[in-house]
Amino acid sequence: MCALRLSIFVWLAGLLVLNLLFALIWPPLYWLLVLTVPLLVLALYDSFQSDHAILRNYPVIGRARWFIERLRPYIQQYIIESDTGGAPISRMFRSIVYQRAKNSRDTVPFGTQVDTYEEGYEWIGHSLSAMQVEEMDEDPRVTIGGPHCTQPYKASILNISAMSFGSLSKNAIMALNKGAKKGGFSHNTGEGGLTPYHLEHGGDLVWQIGTGYFGCRTSDGGFDTELFKEKSRKPTVKMIEIKLSQGAKPGHGGILPAYKNTPEIAEIRGVKAGVQVDSPARHKAFSTPLELMSFIKTLRELSDGKPIGIKLALGRKSEFIAICKAMKVTGITPDFITVDGGEGGTGAAPLEYTNSIGFPLREALAFVDDCLMGFELREDIKLIASGKIITAFQLVKTLSLGADLCNSARGMMLALGCVQSLSCNTNRCPTGVATQDPKLARGLVVEDKYERVYQFHKKTIHALMDILSSTGHKSVESLNRTHIFRRVDHFSVKRYDEIFPLIAKGSLLGNDMPDSYRLHVEEASEDSFMPASLLADVEDKTKAVS
């Protein structure tokens, strides 16, 4: 037995002996045996168990490590981190969400804490022809619906991004939806399906159809046409989104941990309760870009003409070009495309997928916008961007880069009261947002939190229009890549259009296309998502491809 382990036993045994001796003098001290005896028994158990080396060598006191690890996120947030620190959302940005959600003061004193000379700092220029914010449209809207859509939807500039019932509690879902109803913005269901909690308060819904087809699923996991037709025609379902991939784990199906898969959720999704549910990595209803276009047409007909869109995190560029080629061949286009950045969040994802797979939002959004322009498809398709969008300036940057409107997930979670405890994947969310534990979920009071969701949206949109008024822009439609500046190093500043060069309308349809696109276009085929292997010829082909 090592010296430290022996000394722990000596101390605990000595404590027990002293307890007994003093109890002979003063009998009430026998109650301390409730503490000293279990400690000695625990030390013996720790010493002889074989699963944990630290406990074996340091009985009892080694358990303090686990306790401290559980407290670490809170200690980090409340004691250590600075206002500009903290990940994935800094304290500065979390604070602005809390302030706006509570309708409290959201100004800051004594100047910026951001280093404006640090690489990556971004800004928009103000104008001497600035307007009063009162002159601006306080509720800007974007109409979504292409030439084949008979029920277009007028969407807010900021909406609730995809979060399923299962990843979020029923109280969180109801608070989000009731906030959306009051504020007139949309609520994406996530791939977990259309649930009673999404429908209870009548907020506008974007029904997301993932690879698991939850809510419109056959017994063998395929797509159920009749179930989809019935649910898609509900009045509160305004749009349908086909999820091809997501930023948090692109190329990997959704994950519902077993401890969150309650009997209620299992019944809604059409799966077995109490087991981990992994959605397939790809769809069964289609397998090529051409078949995807056919599926879009089918969903539009089944839903009686509602807007149909696709959501994807950009992977191989040639695969998205293949989708564009399929649009040109068939004449069928989605009404919207949601571009999810690789920085997207989720309740549960493998570390490598979260950190290292998929294009970040800026690069993905610029590429998708340019491709649609290059194939003369942009006019019929609206772009929705999602990926760590919290503040009004982040909205401005994303709209300038090519988005028509934006979705936010983590911003809305913070408005609900999320404290970024980083416990979404444990079912122990302390605020009742990301848990299926009814004792924790009941702490989230719908009647209180829905108002905060509404206020966060309202004040963020107001801040957006305030920024636009200061820059002399009358509407969000006038924003483009020439308006945002980025410090690329200590001595150089570039505009977004210099970092992400624009391409001419129709330029990808002929032979005179930009060199950086040529190889990707040659690789892409409307007959297959998998591109030809031209990029394998590294020496001759890829050095000039950005």
Side-chain angles (χ1 to χ4, degrees):
M1 184 178 291
C2 72
L4 184 55
R5 183 168 21 163
L6 180 61
S7 65
I8 291 172
F9 276 109
V10 169
W11 274 98
L12 290 174
L15 187 62
L16 178 61
V17 170
L18 286 173
N19 189 170
L20 291 169
L21 289 174
F22 282 111
L24 291 173
I25 300 171
W26 191 43
L29 289 177
Y30 278 118
W31 283 104
L32 285 178
L33 292 175
V34 175
L35 177 64
T36 54
V37 170
L39 281 176
L40 186 57
V41 172
L42 184 60
L44 287 168
Y45 171 79
D46 288 347
S47 181
F48 289 102
Q49 58 81 39
S50 58
D51 292 334
H52 303 286
I54 288 179
L55 288 185
R56 193 172 174 85
N57 291 330
Y58 307 97
V60 181
I61 64 173
R63 293 178 177 271
R65 170 177 172 267
W66 295 339
F67 177 70
I68 293 170
E69 278 190 341
R70 290 190 66 177
L71 288 180
R72 183 178 178 272
Y74 304 100
I75 294 171
Q76 182 76 21
Q77 281 192 48
Y78 301 130
I79 299 176
I80 297 174
E81 74 181 28
S82 66
D83 284 348
T84 56
I89 310 295
S90 72
R91 170 165 288 279
M92 176 173 61
F93 289 157
R94 297 199 308 272
S95 295
I96 196 67
V97 175
Y98 298 147
Q99 289 161 359
R100 286 175 175 162
K102 295 176 183 178
N103 199 23
S104 59
R105 184 177 60 232
D106 60 356
T107 54
V108 295
F110 219 63
T112 181
Q113 296 185 43
V114 176
D115 183 356
T116 58
Y117 294 95
E118 183 180 14
E119 180 181 330
Y121 174 69
E122 295 176 327
W123 69 95
I124 186 170
H126 65 283
S127 173
L128 294 178
S129 60
M131 299 179 288
Q132 296 295 326
V133 69
E134 290 77 16
E135 300 177 59
M136 310 295 289
D137 182 358
E138 64 179 17
D139 185 23
R141 296 269 155 179
V142 174
T143 300
I144 301 176
H148 305 294
C149 172
T150 59
Q151 296 191 56
Y153 175 61
K154 296 189 73 172
S156 173
I157 297 297
L158 176 63
N159 304 280
I160 302 171
S161 196
M163 294 180 284
S164 303
F165 172 52
S167 60
L168 300 191
S169 68
K170 66 179 184 181
N171 286 22
I173 294 294
M174 288 190 289
L176 288 172
N177 193 257
K178 192 168 183 178
K181 173 67 174 178
K182 183 172 181 179
F185 50 99
S186 69
H187 177 193
N188 193 303
T189 66
E191 69 170 312
L194 205 57
T195 73
Y197 309 114
H198 289 101
L199 298 167
E200 183 166 334
H201 295 292
D204 292 349
L205 293 171
V206 179
W207 183 16
Q208 186 182 92
I209 309 297
T211 55
Y213 304 117
F214 301 127
C216 53
R217 175 186 175 96
T218 60
S219 58
D220 62 351
F223 176 70
D224 189 314
T225 301
E226 290 305 313
L227 268 177
F228 174 82
K229 181 178 180 180
E230 174 194 342
K231 294 182 179 180
S232 65
R233 297 193 178 196
K234 290 182 180 294
T236 54
V237 175
K238 303 299 183 182
M239 303 198 298
I240 291 91
E241 179 179 82
I242 306 165
K243 193 189 87 167
L244 304 180
S245 59
Q246 67 182 93
K249 41 184 182 286
H252 191 296
I255 301 172
L256 179 66
Y259 45 77
K260 285 190 172 184
N261 186 15
T262 65
E264 180 185 29
I265 290 172
E267 183 179 355
I268 288 170
R269 296 194 179 197
V271 297
K272 184 179 178 181
V275 299
Q276 178 166 307
V277 179
D278 296 326
S279 301
R282 59 187 182 188
H283 281 264
K284 292 182 179 180
F286 55 88
S287 58
T288 69
L290 289 174
E291 289 177 1
L292 170 60
M293 295 305 113
S294 177
F295 190 59
I296 289 171
K297 181 180 179 182
T298 297
L299 296 193
R300 190 177 285 128
E301 291 170 351
L302 290 172
S303 65
D304 198 25
K306 291 183 179 179
I308 310 295
I310 60 175
K311 173 183 178 177
L312 79 164
L314 184 64
R316 296 187 67 164
K317 292 182 175 181
S318 49
E319 293 183 3
F320 183 75
I321 291 174
I323 294 173
C324 291
K325 286 186 174 182
M327 294 181 205
K328 297 299 291 186
V329 169
T330 62
I332 301 168
T333 57
D335 298 290
F336 65 94
I337 296 175
T338 302
V339 181
D340 202 12
E343 63 272 42
T346 183
L351 177 70
E352 293 85 355
Y353 279 81
T354 295
N355 288 348
S356 308
I357 298 183
F359 273 70
L361 178 60
R362 279 194 296 248
E363 286 75 13
L365 178 60
F367 177 79
V368 169
D369 182 42
D370 289 340
C371 270
L372 294 176
M373 184 64 70
F375 279 98
E376 293 187 344
L377 295 165
R378 187 65 177 88
E379 290 181 5
D380 295 333
I381 300 172
K382 293 296 186 289
L383 281 185
I384 305 174
S386 64
K388 217 172 179 180
I389 297 171
I390 306 291
T391 69
F393 181 62
Q394 289 165 342
L395 276 170
V396 168
K397 289 192 300 182
T398 308
L399 295 170
S400 297
L401 198 51
D404 294 292
L405 58 153
C406 298
N407 287 346
S408 177
R410 282 173 285 191
M412 297 296 178
M413 288 177 69
L414 291 169
L416 283 174
C418 167
V419 294
Q420 195 169 275
S421 65
L422 305 182
S423 56
C424 309
N425 60 336
T426 67
N427 208 33
R428 295 195 299 268
C429 171
T431 58
V433 176
T435 180
Q436 295 307 311
D437 185 333
K439 296 188 293 296
L440 293 171
R442 68 183 295 274
L444 194 159
V445 180
V446 174
E447 291 306 309
D448 172 48
K449 301 304 182 184
Y450 93 86
E451 187 69 26
R452 296 191 181 189
V453 172
Y454 161 74
Q455 288 292 347
F456 167 65
H457 176 272
K458 178 183 177 181
K459 297 199 77 172
T460 302
I461 292 295
H462 177 81
L464 165 67
M465 302 314 292
D466 202 4
I467 292 172
L468 291 184
S469 70
S470 296
T471 60
H473 298 296
K474 293 185 177 181
S475 67
V476 293
E477 287 84 2
S478 60
L479 288 170
N480 59 53
R481 297 180 199 177
T482 66
H483 298 134
I484 305 297
F485 298 84
R486 179 180 178 86
R487 184 174 295 284
V488 295
D489 58 42
H490 284 289
F491 309 102
S492 303
V493 171
K494 288 187 176 181
R495 293 188 320 201
Y496 265 9
D497 62 315
E498 297 174 289
I499 301 171
F500 306 103
L502 294 158
I503 68 172
K505 183 178 179 180
S507 60
L508 298 182
L509 293 173
N511 294 323
D512 190 23
M513 67 181 67
D515 289 339
S516 60
Y517 286 80
R518 186 175 303 279
L519 192 55
H520 299 294
V521 173
E522 290 175 4
E523 276 200 316
S525 169
E526 64 271 16
D527 294 314
S528 174
F529 286 114
M530 181 61 68
S533 298
L534 300 180
L535 284 174
D537 191 357
V538 176
E539 290 297 322
D540 297 334
K541 297 285 187 180
T542 63
K543 286 186 175 179
V545 178
S546 61

